[in-house]
Amino acid sequence: MSFSVKAPNFLKSTWIQISRDKGLTIATILVMTLTLFITSTFAVVSLTANSVLGYLEGRPLITVFFKNDFAEDKILSIERELKNQASIASIDYISKEDAFKFYLGEHKNEQNLIESVSSDIFPPSLEIRAQKISDLETVAAKMSKSEGVDEVVFFRDVINTFKSWVDASRIIGLSLISVLAFISLFIILITVGMTIRSRSEEIEIMKLLGATDGYIRLPFLTQGFLYGLVSGFISTFILLVLSLLVLGKMVIILKGIPVPPFLQFVVIVSISQIFLGIILGMFGAALSTRRYLRI
């Protein structure tokens, strides 16, 4: 006598297995949902943080303001000298007129702020971007001692603090995801293992009657598949709802910073986490069948 896989039979068997211990089923889905949600949230936050960090690192990190009466040809001479240094990525000269035009553009709707302002009050400046953040302090110290320099402004502390926060969040996020993924696999292992043990006599009879290893495994693998699928959909729903709630605030906070299309990325992450949930669930179930079925 041989066994053939019929969809209604193994689905019914899987459903019976899941409903026998609702407590473990709920616990498994909750832990998997938490794992997937933290993973997807970490992915979205990491992408946004990397975009912001890249934007900050790409901005002129050092601004050197010169005295109003300092000759333009001397400033241009300093610019040429700096361009030849290996530590300098780029440098731009901002004349009085350029600074004035920028000011007018920023306050074009505020006539009271521009009526009594002329280009004479704006100091010429150099905007410098170093190759590495570690070069900033050296460049800033050198420029502060240069002739005609009135003030040197650079944002080393802001960049370093943000970069440290991004690095720390990656370590914490990856550690938390690893721990939760391990817990998820452990719970799936226990849940499916208990199901296998509760059906041990039935499984022995099926083996004696000629049931194939695949036929015996299939309901348990389907059990893991459903755990992952349900967890993935729940996590996706939560992620999409939260994303829609915070999208408006993010647009305001990140105004002017070029980041990838936020909602599109969330959708991609959402689809990915459903597949990740299925893989996690089936992998845990496969480990359990390998351990408890010995096939």
Side-chain angles (χ1 to χ4, degrees), residues 10 15 25 63 73 102 110 116 122-123 130 162 177 188 216 225 248 274 279 285:
F10 84 80
W15 175 252
T25 296
T63 303
D73 59 337
F102 179 78
E110 303 172 75
S116 59
F122 294 93
F162 188 78
I177 289 168
I188 294 171
I216 296 173
F225 171 87
I274 292 174
I279 292 170

Side-chain angles (χ1 to χ4, degrees), residues 22-69:
K22 294 184 176 64
L24 267 177
T25 296
I26 293 172
T28 303
I29 290 175
L30 284 177
V31 173
M32 288 187 68
T33 299
L34 182 61
T35 302
L36 295 173
F37 177 71
I38 291 178
T39 302
S40 57
T41 302
F42 173 74
V44 173
V45 171
S46 292
L47 174 79
T48 305
N50 285 335
S51 298
V52 173
L53 183 60
Y55 171 80
L56 292 175
E57 289 182 330
R59 304 302 293 169
L61 298 179
I62 302 175
T63 303
V64 181
F65 293 100
F66 292 89
K67 296 175 181 177
N68 271 320
D69 57 353

Side-chain angles (χ1 to χ4, degrees), residues 200-215:
S200 57
E201 291 185 5
E202 181 185 345
I203 291 171
E204 287 299 323
I205 294 173
M206 291 169 66
K207 285 182 179 180
L208 292 173
L209 293 175
T212 63
D213 291 347
Y215 182 88

Side-chain angles (χ1 to χ4, degrees), residues 194-264:
M194 289 181 65
T195 304
I196 292 172
R197 289 190 173 185
S198 68
R199 295 184 58 195
S200 57
E201 291 185 5
E202 181 185 345
I203 291 171
E204 287 299 323
I205 294 173
M206 291 169 66
K207 285 182 179 180
L208 292 173
L209 293 175
T212 63
D213 291 347
Y215 182 88
I216 296 173
R217 283 176 184 259
L218 188 57
F220 305 109
L221 293 177
T222 305
Q223 184 177 354
F225 171 87
L226 290 176
Y227 286 154
L229 184 66
V230 172
S231 301
F233 273 112
I234 294 173
S235 177
T236 294
F237 175 77
I238 297 172
L239 180 65
L240 289 174
V241 170
L242 290 179
S243 298
L244 291 173
L245 290 175
V246 304
L247 181 59
K249 294 181 179 179
M250 283 193 62
V251 170
I252 296 173
I253 294 172
L254 301 178
K255 183 179 180 181
I257 299 178
V259 295
F262 182 71
L263 276 181
Q264 291 182 23

Side-chain angles (χ1 to χ4, degrees), residues 131-167:
Q131 293 285 0
K132 301 176 182 177
I133 291 180
S134 56
D135 294 328
L136 289 176
E137 190 166 0
T138 302
V139 175
K142 181 179 178 180
M143 291 307 302
S144 64
K145 299 176 183 177
S146 296
E147 180 188 2
V149 171
D150 184 42
E151 184 182 8
V152 177
V153 178
F154 71 107
F155 306 100
R156 178 197 58 186
D157 293 338
V158 175
I159 302 297
N160 283 342
T161 299
F162 188 78
K163 191 172 184 179
S164 299
W165 179 84
V166 171
D167 291 340

